[in-house]
């Protein structure tokens, strides 16, 4: 059994820049729970640059490029901190995401998030550490979006 709780907000700084802080809490049976704190600068709704801190575990730098409203490419570099005596060269993660529901109806890019019912997405993620492929992750999700404001 796993439980994830996430919250965030997008601050509109001006016509070009937005700032998105987020918090993620993860709880799973027989493993330690943890929290992630992230901050992302969004430039022209196309380029995302940010950083993440996972409490007592790791730091990450994040980059994402939105080709269009459906297709996104991302990269992150994670450096773990929980084994201070172990040599760690970090982990590179490459991500591609595709939103299948864009185009079903009207353009959602500027729509009020509380009116968006859901999104079907596929995410493919590769993790590379010390020159070796450590994991391949494929996720097909239906994400329900709701606003509590």
């Amino acid at each position: 059994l796993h439980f994830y709780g996430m919250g965030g907000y997008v601050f509109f700084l001006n016509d070009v820049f937005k700032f998105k802080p987020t918090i993620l809490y993860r709880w799973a049976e027989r493993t330690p729970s943890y929290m992630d704190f992230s901050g992302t600068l969004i430039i022209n709704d196309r380029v995302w640059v940010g950083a993440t801190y996972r409490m007592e575990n790791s730091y990450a730098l994040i980059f994402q490029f939105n080709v269009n409203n459906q297709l996104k490419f991302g990269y992150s570099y994670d450096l773990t901190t929980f084994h201070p005596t172990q040599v760690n060269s970090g982990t590179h993660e490459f991500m591609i995401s595709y939103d299948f529901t864009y185009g079903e109806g009207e353009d959602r890019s500027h729509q009020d998030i509380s009116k968006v019912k859901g999104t079907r997405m596929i995410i493919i993620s590769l993790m590379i550490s010390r020159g070796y492929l450590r994991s391949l992750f494929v996720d097909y999700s239906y994400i329900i979006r709701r606003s509590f404001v």
Side-chain angles (χ1 to χ4, degrees):
L1 180 67
H2 290 79
F3 171 77
Y4 292 88
M6 183 176 175
Y9 187 80
V10 177
F11 294 94
F12 292 81
L13 304 177
N14 57 40
D15 290 341
V16 175
F17 296 104
K18 298 174 187 171
F19 179 68
K20 181 181 179 183
T22 59
I23 295 175
L24 169 70
Y25 175 77
R26 176 186 173 260
W27 177 88
E29 292 179 307
R30 294 180 290 251
T31 62
S33 60
Y34 63 77
M35 289 184 74
D36 288 1
F37 301 93
S38 299
T40 306
L41 183 65
I42 304 168
I43 306 164
N44 284 325
D45 289 326
R46 188 164 303 273
V47 177
W48 297 43
V49 179
T52 298
Y53 170 67
R54 179 169 293 153
M55 292 182 67
E56 301 176 7
N57 187 301
S58 65
Y59 298 94
L61 297 175
I62 304 163
F63 174 79
Q64 180 176 303
F65 179 72
N66 298 343
V67 176
N68 55 39
N69 288 337
Q70 289 178 278
L71 182 62
K72 300 172 177 82
F73 292 97
Y75 168 79
S76 73
Y77 177 74
D78 294 22
L79 188 59
T80 59
T81 59
F82 64 91
H83 292 296
T85 59
Q86 183 180 18
V87 176
N88 184 341
S89 61
T91 301
H92 301 275
E93 183 174 354
F94 301 91
M95 183 270 305
I96 184 170
S97 172
Y98 188 80
D99 180 348
F100 287 98
T101 56
Y102 182 82
E104 291 181 8
E106 63 186 75
D107 179 354
R108 298 183 327 212
S109 59
H110 301 290
Q111 188 175 2
D112 181 356
I113 193 70
S114 65
K115 295 178 184 172
V116 176
K117 298 206 185 294
T119 301
R120 288 180 192 87
M121 300 182 78
I122 189 165
I123 299 171
I124 300 171
S125 188
L126 300 169
M127 282 189 178
I128 299 171
S129 179
R130 297 184 185 171
Y132 295 99
L133 177 63
R134 298 292 182 194
S135 70
L136 170 63
F137 173 77
V138 179
D139 176 41
Y140 178 77
S141 301
Y142 181 73
I143 302 166
I144 299 171
R145 299 174 189 245
R146 293 286 183 259
S147 175
F148 297 105
V149 178

